[in-house]
Amino acid sequence: MKFKRMADVDLRGKRVFIRADLNVPVDGGRIGDDTRIRASLPAMQLALEQGAAVMVTSHLGRPKEGELKPEDSLAPVARRLSELLKRDVPLKTSWVDGVAVQPGELVVLENCRVNKGEKKDDEALARKIAALCDVYVNDAFGTAHRAEATTHGVARFAPVACAGPLMAAELDALGRALANPAHPLVAIVAGSKVSTKLSVLAELARRVDCLIVGGGIANTFLMASGLAIGHSLAEPDLLDEARRIQKLTEVPLPEDVVVATEASARARAVTKEAASVEPDEMILDIGPRAAASLAARLQKAGTIVWNGPVGMFEIEQFARGTEAVARAIASSKAFSIAGGGDTIAAIAKFGIEKDISYISTGGGAFLEFLEGKPLPAVVALEARADG
């Protein structure tokens, strides 16, 4: 991929418009997790260091276009940025027709998805926003799979369009993992449903040396292999798809599993052979032998792509499989990249953040990249690579 990088653009005295991903959990005006805000700081600091007039916007939640409700406001984000940057960070509303910002200042522009035409990538809106700046910076990989005015349209019409440091790091890491990976290339794709990740599974199966499945996805593959899975979560109508994927690459299935009669913290966990699941039981984790087998594979990998826990890791008695996989990835010499909300939660739970080569901030964008789909925001930046 070829695109212009913010680090290579002269920002001195320029009006810089940064589309960040500051979509953080907010409850009653309080931010629950500021990870995305912290991840977005380098782009802002880079622009400020060069004396640029900096405008930053993001979406937050799912507002109705043309209607700004208090719970959709970026006010808590602006306050947190003020604390982190140790400077006054004003919040600007009704900003599409003009923004007052001086060189060396940074302002937050209210929730961009409130603007009519944002989600439809309205050209008139994109042109208006592009006119606000000399340099457009897309640093929001998490929204790169959406063609919206601030993620795609503005990149077409701004005088200069480039990728911010977070966007560039995401694309570099994903490119390293999939475009020219060190082999064996092992992918872990887990989750509740095959249907939501079927196209990702099919694409990865053509590219990887080993595809590890977990959660409800693994249950569907076990069922496709002729095993009884009790009343475990699975998708019987996708058994033929599972069999097709198994023909494309190696898909190791667990030889032992952890089952219970209910998915709750009070459930009694029982480890047994995968072939011995009773009708009233459900599979909620992989067993210790399966975990050890997967760990051995991961230790030998050259590249690891991880999306999804292999069991119901939120409940302690069903967390050991995911922990074993997580620690195997952490101790592996492979280049590892992980993405998705549950995956990041598992990484945090087991305290291995520093041992993963790259943790992606994108959920949907991460999956669509794995699927091989072009990301509209990235396509727009590539089109502007030479000007």
Side-chain angles (χ1 to χ4, degrees), residues 339-361:
D342 286 342
T343 311
I344 293 172
I347 288 170
K349 177 171 181 171
F350 303 122
I352 58 167
E353 295 94 331
K354 294 179 181 178
D355 300 310
I356 303 298
S357 305
Y358 193 83
I359 299 174
S360 174
T361 58

Side-chain angles (χ1 to χ4, degrees), residues 147-375:
E148 299 180 348
T150 58
T151 63
H152 177 266
V154 180
R156 295 170 58 206
F157 306 119
V160 174
C162 60
L166 180 59
M167 173 73 85
E170 294 271 3
L171 296 175
D172 288 345
L174 284 163
R176 179 176 173 184
L178 293 175
N180 189 26
H183 290 272
L185 169 56
V186 179
I188 304 164
V189 181
S192 57
K193 293 184 177 181
V194 173
S195 55
T196 57
K197 296 183 179 180
L198 180 61
S199 50
V200 176
L201 289 165
E203 177 62 26
L204 285 175
R206 297 184 184 93
R207 303 168 73 166
V208 303
D209 301 299
C210 176
L211 177 61
I212 295 171
V213 292
I217 294 174
N219 296 339
T220 301
F221 277 78
L222 286 168
M223 197 175 184
S225 299
L227 297 181
I229 60 168
H231 64 110
S232 304
L233 181 66
E235 293 175 281
D237 55 330
L238 290 176
L239 299 185
D240 287 341
E241 295 294 340
R243 294 184 188 107
R244 270 195 283 273
I245 289 168
Q246 285 176 305
K247 291 177 181 177
L248 293 172
T249 192
E250 186 178 10
V251 184
L253 296 177
E255 53 265 49
D256 60 341
V257 294
V258 179
V259 302
T261 54
E262 61 177 323
S264 75
R266 64 176 181 270
R268 176 174 170 267
V270 177
T271 301
K272 58 168 51 184
E273 297 293 316
S276 303
V277 179
E278 299 294 335
D280 64 336
E281 294 173 333
M282 60 179 75
I283 301 168
L284 298 173
D285 194 11
I286 59 173
R289 280 192 291 127
S293 175
L294 294 182
R297 287 175 180 272
L298 293 166
Q299 288 296 311
K300 297 175 183 176
T303 306
I304 300 169
V305 179
W306 180 21
N307 178 260
V310 298
M312 191 173 281
F313 77 102
E314 303 91 342
I315 300 174
E316 281 311 310
Q317 58 266 47
F318 308 118
R320 288 173 189 157
T322 299
E323 181 175 8
V325 166
R327 298 206 182 283
I329 296 170
S331 63
S332 171
K333 294 179 181 178
F335 174 77
S336 54
I337 181 167
D342 286 342
T343 311
I344 293 172
I347 288 170
K349 177 171 181 171
F350 303 122
I352 58 167
E353 295 94 331
K354 294 179 181 178
D355 300 310
I356 303 298
S357 305
Y358 193 83
I359 299 174
S360 174
T361 58
F366 180 80
L367 282 174
E368 291 202 11
F369 193 103
L370 297 186
E371 192 179 332
K373 285 185 175 180
L375 304 180

Side-chain angles (χ1 to χ4, degrees), residues 26-101:
V26 178
D27 186 9
R30 296 177 62 88
I31 294 172
D33 179 5
D34 70 353
T35 301
R36 283 181 173 171
I37 298 176
R38 290 178 178 275
S40 301
L41 289 177
M44 302 177 208
Q45 290 166 328
L46 180 58
L48 287 170
E49 285 166 5
Q50 294 192 42
V54 189
M55 298 161 276
V56 180
T57 194
S58 171
H59 70 289
L60 182 71
R62 298 181 178 179
K64 182 179 179 182
E65 287 191 359
E67 183 180 335
L68 178 64
K69 295 181 179 179
E71 61 266 27
D72 298 321
S73 175
L74 286 173
V77 173
R79 287 195 295 271
R80 185 61 182 136
L81 279 173
S82 180
E83 295 168 355
L84 292 169
L85 293 170
K86 296 180 172 57
R87 59 162 56 227
D88 183 40
V89 178
L91 177 67
K92 303 283 187 176
T93 57
S94 304
W95 49 268
V96 171
D97 292 315
V99 182
V101 54

